[in-house]
Amino acid sequence: MSPRSTLSTNLLDELQAALAHGNVARRVETLRKVTDLFVDHSVEYSAEQIAVFDDVFQCLIEQLEGCAKTLLAERLGPVAGAPPQVIRTLAFDDLIEVAAPVLSQSDQLDENSLIENARTKSQGHLLAISTRKVLSGAVTDILVERGNDDVVKSTVNNQGAAFSEQGYTRLVQRADGNDEIATCVALRPSIPRHHLLNLIARASSSVRTRLATANPKLAAEVSLAVQQATTRARSARATMSEEAIISHELVRLLFKDGRLDENEVLKFALNKKFDEANAAIACLAHIPVSVAETMMVESSNEGILILSKVANFSWETVKAIINMREALSGLPISDSATDRDTYERLRPSTAQQVLRFHRMQQATSSPPAA
């Protein structure tokens, strides 16, 4: 059968008339007939015949209203081997009612088209993409970065979605301060352990409790981390809150897992998480948390500068720590230029000596154990 004989002579004549001088209603009716013809026999057509339908569909939809294109998208979206060019045209339509049926279902959209769509189109387009049966890490990277909370939750809840290392890192960041996203991410069966620990360290106490009871299989890691932290908290000095010590212990778990670095400290500081930042600095400077905390709450910024130099932080991180402390304590904003000059002139060896003095001073001033 030739491509032309796929369309009956009468339908071809009607198509030519509709394209030449037909009104919208006539074009819509012709589109319906061509769609019926394709859908009813799609598995029988060769690539050459599908290309003919592609050309016909493209000509018909150029001047049609959104409702007609929506009907076409709903018919062609689930059809395997649908004409690829018209599928792409529908997917990139600004009307989400037109784009969604093909973005969510069509196997004729290749990865490059999905990536381009996710980078340039609306949140509605991203939400439709997030529901596809299979999503690669390259696509989910963009959904997690550009998508709003609904898009992120839909993507995370899609068990056919794969996530790259970068994608999981960004998910943990998006979960910070958002209990719904945090819960969704932690409940993914495939989440790597180090990302789960990172998420637990950042999560609120209510999220930790929810995760520990939501899924028995997943809860093993969560329960272990929380139980270890809670046990230590109950045996720690009474002057520190249990929640603060739990935060410290969870950060230590990140450190033991090899996933604690300057970038994590920066994130804690930017998100005003003092307990987590303090514990992270203590780990990276190899000192007790109590020593770090004493230096962090000094009236001047000298303690922060000393700790940061020992940990070899960049100025960006140091400034974020200073800003965090000042924001939480209500202190006036300090002279950034002076602090930076002091920090740049400070030698690591000098910082180490001062830190040793602080450790010795705190050790001699601490009361003996009962």
Side-chain angles (χ1 to χ4, degrees):
M1 182 186 294
S2 68
R4 183 178 177 83
S5 62
T6 301
L7 300 171
S8 68
T9 301
N10 289 341
L11 186 53
L12 278 174
D13 292 340
E14 183 178 337
L15 172 62
Q16 290 173 356
L19 292 174
H21 43 261
N23 56 27
V24 172
R26 188 170 182 178
R27 285 174 181 259
V28 171
E29 177 60 21
T30 304
L31 178 65
R32 184 191 64 77
K33 291 180 179 179
V34 174
T35 305
D36 288 344
L37 181 62
F38 178 81
V39 172
D40 291 344
H41 304 280
S42 60
V43 296
E44 304 170 8
Y45 297 136
S46 66
E48 188 179 6
Q49 290 168 330
I50 291 175
V52 172
F53 276 99
D54 220 344
D55 291 339
V56 170
F57 282 129
Q58 289 281 48
C59 291
L60 283 170
I61 68 173
E62 284 180 356
Q63 300 179 26
L64 290 180
E65 297 289 335
C67 58
K69 290 189 286 186
T70 299
L71 291 175
L72 178 62
E74 291 172 348
R75 294 290 304 282
L76 294 183
V79 176
Q85 292 306 312
V86 73
I87 287 293
R88 178 180 168 84
T89 298
L90 295 170
F92 280 82
D93 197 287
D94 288 339
L95 288 176
I96 189 57
E97 295 83 1
V98 176
V102 295
L103 285 174
S104 60
Q105 301 176 83
S106 181
D107 61 3
Q108 290 295 76
L109 287 171
D110 60 21
E111 183 164 288
N112 288 336
S113 295
L114 290 172
I115 289 174
E116 180 184 352
N117 198 288
R119 283 176 174 164
T120 60
K121 303 302 288 184
S122 74
Q123 293 297 315
H125 290 71
L126 270 63
L127 185 60
I129 293 173
S130 74
T131 65
R132 291 177 68 85
K133 289 182 179 179
V134 177
L135 289 171
S136 71
V139 175
T140 59
D141 278 352
I142 304 170
L143 297 180
V144 171
E145 184 62 37
R146 283 199 67 224
N148 58 24
D149 287 356
D150 288 337
V151 171
V152 172
K153 287 184 289 187
S154 176
T155 305
V156 172
N157 287 328
N158 183 346
Q159 294 306 308
F163 294 91
S164 67
E165 180 71 13
Q166 173 187 335
Y168 270 117
T169 299
R170 184 63 179 129
L171 276 177
V172 172
Q173 294 171 352
R174 292 293 302 266
D176 198 7
N178 188 312
D179 287 2
E180 289 187 13
I181 292 179
T183 302
C184 291
V185 175
L187 290 175
R188 271 192 70 86
S190 58
I191 181 173
R193 181 174 181 273
H194 61 273
H195 287 298
L196 178 60
L197 289 174
N198 199 348
L199 188 146
I200 296 170
R202 295 167 174 271
S204 66
S205 58
S206 62
V207 169
R208 292 171 188 162
T209 302
R210 191 185 314 169
L211 296 179
T213 58
N215 185 322
K217 293 181 180 179
L218 174 66
E221 288 282 6
V222 181
S223 297
L224 178 61
V226 174
Q227 286 168 8
Q228 288 176 345
T230 302
T231 299
R232 296 190 185 187
R234 288 171 178 168
S235 62
R237 67 182 190 275
T239 55
M240 186 180 295
S241 71
E242 181 173 311
E243 185 170 349
I245 300 175
I246 289 175
S247 296
H248 293 173
E249 295 303 329
L250 291 171
V251 170
R252 286 196 186 99
L253 286 176
L254 287 181
F255 180 69
K256 291 178 180 178
D257 205 44
R259 295 290 172 174
L260 185 64
D261 56 18
E262 179 182 348
N263 191 48
E264 292 301 314
V265 177
L266 177 60
K267 293 172 189 174
F268 287 140
L270 292 175
N271 287 284
K272 305 295 187 292
K273 291 184 173 290
F274 180 85
D275 290 326
E276 288 84 350
N278 186 52
I281 292 169
C283 287
L284 296 176
H286 304 288
I287 59 173
V289 173
S290 58
V291 175
E293 185 177 66
T294 299
M295 298 176 69
M296 287 276 284
V297 298
E298 291 177 351
S299 58
S300 70
N301 293 327
E302 180 182 322
I304 294 175
L305 300 182
I306 295 296
L307 290 169
S308 298
K309 182 63 70 169
V310 171
N312 196 31
F313 290 160
S314 67
W315 173 250
E316 178 188 9
T317 301
V318 179
K319 182 58 179 171
I321 297 170
I322 292 173
N323 288 345
M324 172 192 67
R325 190 186 75 125
E326 293 174 348
L328 294 176
S329 65
L331 293 172
I333 300 299
S334 60
D335 186 347
S336 177
T338 301
D339 285 335
R340 182 167 188 171
D341 181 63
T342 301
Y343 186 69
E344 290 176 349
R345 288 189 291 106
L346 180 63
R347 294 180 180 180
S349 59
T350 303
Q352 287 283 7
Q353 291 174 351
V354 174
L355 185 57
R356 281 196 293 271
F357 173 77
H358 274 275
R359 294 189 65 174
M360 182 176 62
Q361 185 179 47
Q362 181 154 330
T364 57
S365 61
S366 298

